[in-house]
Amino acid sequence: MRYRLTLCWQGTAYCGWQVQPGVATVCGTVQDAVEAVLRERGSLTGCSRTDSGVHALGFVAALRCGCRMEPAALQRALNANLPRDIAVIGCEEAPEEFHPRYDAAAKRYRYRMYQSAVRDPFREGLALQLPRPVNTAAMNEAAGMLLGTHNFSAFCAAGGKIPPEERVRTLTECRVTQTGDEIHLTVTGDGFLYHMVRILAGTLLEIGQGRRPAAAMREILAGGDRSRAGRTAPACGLYLERVFYEKKEAGL
Amino acid sequence: MRYRLTLCWQGTAYCGWQVQPGVATVCGTVQDAVEAVLRERGSLTGCSRTDSGVHALGFVAALRCGCRMEPAALQRALNANLPRDIAVIGCEEAPEEFHPRYDAAAKRYRYRMYQSAVRDPFREGLALQLPRPVNTAAMNEAAGMLLGTHNFSAFCAAGGKIPPEERVRTLTECRVTQTGDEIHLTVTGDGFLYHMVRILAGTLLEIGQGRRPAAAMREILAGGDRSRAGRTAPACGLYLERVFYEKKEAGL
């Protein structure tokens, strides 16, 4: 049997999705729950790796197992066996050939910041605090320059395995919005390089802080040089919001 | 010197405000920060006790100490020395006679619930999950019956030290509102008995679940018998939202 699971988690306590020896990971924790419910460990494949401390609102995983169980019952049983910072928010039977990563047409990420001189204990680990006001109009203007198809080498962390000529991606959404004191970067694209959204967020922040003009974004993008982009923003503000399996849903 | 501190905290990790030996309390934690900053422990008095796990958005405390420090600098220094689930959101010099509890004219509490079949990892410990829909109109109707001046013995936990004839309080606000899946009980009054808001929330929930009619609230209130009210709702949903030092601000 194959199931498509949609997962929501608060990532603070986890070293990301991917199983690594000796540390708590989301994949390992979900497999523990699968084992408790089905008496077999099954095989669990995710739609992407995620960094330590990153959150997910709609991560998609495929569970392959020998048992057959009604999806709604499986969802309830998994939730009853998961720690309270992870929830299965969707569960359905999937075709045998379904692969959550290879079949994904696009993903949407959100980078969450808030502007407040004093930190908010209720957003600790959930959003990046900006102690001083930023120019969100300039940030949004610069974000718009990233729309479309480009080589995003300038926003790819060293350590990524993808050769420079294969770093072309298409963004169909890239905007900065403000609601009250919350400032969000929302990015939808057909693929993302290693740390790409966090480097975008860090670069946009420097523009918002007035340390670079918005127009610098176009040059940074064209230059293809990681060292000219901004710092990598902390993991705590990043959310994998949604995975699209139909191109047109993501505007592609 | 005397300072008036306004505190915000996420209460999950604390056994309430009041110092108790051997456990983490908010008062003890703030005093540790005071000692780190001022090299003296000072004397810290709160506007009320709070239960273990209860949150505060605007708790007021008085700090008495020998040192003199500019309020904004004291606030920054305290925040730099506090754990990230507690923040000083206001700091000002206060008159020598200021007492945060005796001078308080009223308080506003919020009890936060959300209706969702699946739990939300991001609201864990911050709001009570209601797996099934509730009738918020009936809850709000019943809440309205508590407005005004009454003896609230029916909503006072056993263990409170206040004699029954002294349990008269005035509520100027008592309503249940729904925004999206969030359902909030907001209560403003000139005083609250032991566990009063949590018992009100628990009773209103039983009405929302259809286990009692809204009109039952009037009888429960008049009867003055704790055993006829509902269960005490869990601490995790309760927030001390604001303390009023002027009667008219609270509609009194």
Side-chain angles (χ1 to χ4, degrees):
Chain A
M1 276 304 299
R2 192 166 294 227
Y3 296 94
R4 172 174 159 167
L5 305 179
T6 307
L7 301 170
C8 173
W9 70 74
Q10 183 174 338
T12 314
Y14 299 96
C15 294
W17 165 260
Q18 200 74 12
V19 170
Q20 301 166 64
V23 296
T25 64
V26 179
C27 181
T29 306
V30 175
Q31 281 197 300
D32 290 346
V34 167
E35 194 169 16
V37 171
L38 300 178
R39 309 285 163 208
E40 61 163 311
R41 204 146 172 87
S43 153
L44 199 60
T45 310
C47 61
S48 69
R49 288 163 177 263
T50 65
D51 292 332
S52 194
V54 168
H55 312 292
L57 301 170
F59 186 96
V60 177
L63 169 65
R64 204 174 55 206
C65 55
C67 309
R68 183 180 211 103
M69 203 168 161
E70 203 267 311
L74 176 60
Q75 180 180 0
R76 276 193 303 273
L78 288 174
N79 280 330
N81 284 278
L82 279 167
R84 300 190 65 87
D85 50 7
I86 304 178
V88 179
I89 59 172
C91 179
E92 52 191 81
E93 287 187 22
E96 188 59 38
E97 65 278 11
F98 172 65
H99 193 292
R101 186 155 106 242
Y102 303 145
D103 293 356
K107 297 192 187 79
R108 177 184 291 149
Y109 286 93
R110 182 174 296 264
Y111 194 89
R112 206 180 143 194
M113 299 160 271
Y114 70 104
Q115 200 282 304
S116 172
V118 178
R119 70 166 172 270
D120 177 356
F122 294 96
R123 283 181 276 192
E124 183 53 31
L126 298 174
L128 178 66
Q129 183 202 349
L130 308 178
R132 290 190 187 80
V134 290
N135 182 344
T136 49
M139 291 169 76
N140 190 46
E141 187 192 338
M145 296 171 190
L146 302 168
L147 283 171
T149 303
H150 309 279
N151 184 309
F152 283 94
S153 278
F155 305 99
C156 179
K161 286 167 197 155
I162 299 168
E165 66 276 14
E166 291 174 21
R167 294 178 186 163
V168 175
R169 299 289 183 274
T170 299
L171 300 188
T172 56
E173 180 179 29
C174 189
R175 57 203 177 96
V176 174
T177 51
Q178 178 157 16
T179 310
D181 66 358
E182 287 261 335
I183 298 166
H184 291 191
L185 163 66
T186 313
V187 193
T188 305
D190 63 355
F192 291 88
L193 305 168
Y194 188 47
H195 283 181
M196 177 166 153
V197 182
R198 292 170 57 188
I199 300 171
L200 287 180
T203 307
L204 289 167
L205 257 180
E206 293 183 14
I207 289 167
Q209 290 159 348
R211 296 162 59 192
R212 311 186 192 211
M217 187 58 103
R218 199 168 271 128
E219 294 160 36
I220 295 167
L221 176 64
D225 178 359
R226 166 69 188 93
S227 68
R228 290 176 64 191
R231 290 196 189 164
T232 306
C236 71
L238 187 60
Y239 293 72
L240 172 57
E241 188 167 297
R242 188 172 162 191
V243 188
F244 299 92
Y245 288 93
E246 298 289 339
K247 281 188 175 185
K248 64 182 176 195
E249 282 185 306
L252 282 161
Chain B
M1 275 303 299
R2 194 166 291 229
Y3 296 94
R4 171 175 159 167
L5 304 179
T6 307
L7 302 170
C8 174
W9 71 73
Q10 183 173 338
T12 314
Y14 300 97
C15 294
W17 165 261
Q18 200 73 14
V19 170
Q20 301 165 65
V23 296
T25 64
V26 180
C27 180
T29 306
V30 176
Q31 280 197 300
D32 290 346
V34 167
E35 194 169 16
V37 172
L38 300 179
R39 309 282 163 209
E40 61 163 311
R41 203 144 174 87
S43 154
L44 199 60
T45 310
C47 61
S48 69
R49 289 164 176 261
T50 64
D51 292 334
S52 192
V54 168
H55 312 292
L57 301 171
F59 187 95
V60 177
L63 169 65
R64 205 174 53 207
C65 55
C67 309
R68 184 180 209 101
M69 201 167 163
E70 203 265 312
L74 177 60
Q75 180 180 359
R76 275 194 303 272
L78 289 174
N79 280 331
N81 283 279
L82 280 167
R84 300 190 64 88
D85 50 7
I86 302 178
V88 179
I89 59 170
C91 179
E92 52 190 83
E93 287 188 21
E96 188 58 37
E97 65 277 11
F98 173 65
H99 193 292
R101 185 156 106 242
Y102 303 147
D103 293 355
K107 296 191 187 83
R108 178 184 290 148
Y109 285 94
R110 184 175 293 268
Y111 195 90
R112 205 180 144 194
M113 300 161 269
Y114 70 103
Q115 200 282 302
S116 172
V118 178
R119 71 168 171 268
D120 177 357
F122 293 95
R123 285 182 275 192
E124 184 54 30
L126 298 175
L128 178 65
Q129 183 203 351
L130 308 178
R132 289 191 188 77
V134 291
N135 182 343
T136 49
M139 291 169 77
N140 189 47
E141 187 192 338
M145 295 171 188
L146 301 168
L147 283 171
T149 305
H150 309 279
N151 184 306
F152 283 94
S153 278
F155 304 99
C156 178
K161 287 167 195 154
I162 299 166
E165 64 277 14
E166 291 173 22
R167 293 179 187 162
V168 175
R169 299 290 181 274
T170 300
L171 300 188
T172 55
E173 180 179 30
C174 190
R175 58 204 176 94
V176 174
T177 50
Q178 178 157 17
T179 309
D181 65 359
E182 287 261 333
I183 298 165
H184 292 190
L185 163 65
T186 313
V187 193
T188 304
D190 64 355
F192 291 88
L193 305 167
Y194 188 48
H195 281 182
M196 179 167 152
V197 182
R198 291 169 57 188
I199 300 170
L200 286 181
T203 308
L204 288 168
L205 257 181
E206 293 182 15
I207 289 166
Q209 290 160 347
R211 294 161 59 192
R212 310 184 191 213
M217 187 58 102
R218 200 167 271 131
E219 294 160 34
I220 295 167
L221 176 65
D225 177 1
R226 166 70 187 92
S227 69
R228 290 175 66 192
R231 292 196 188 163
T232 306
C236 70
L238 187 60
Y239 293 72
L240 173 55
E241 187 166 296
R242 189 172 161 191
V243 188
F244 299 93
Y245 288 94
E246 299 288 340
K247 281 188 174 184
K248 63 183 176 197
E249 282 185 308
L252 281 160

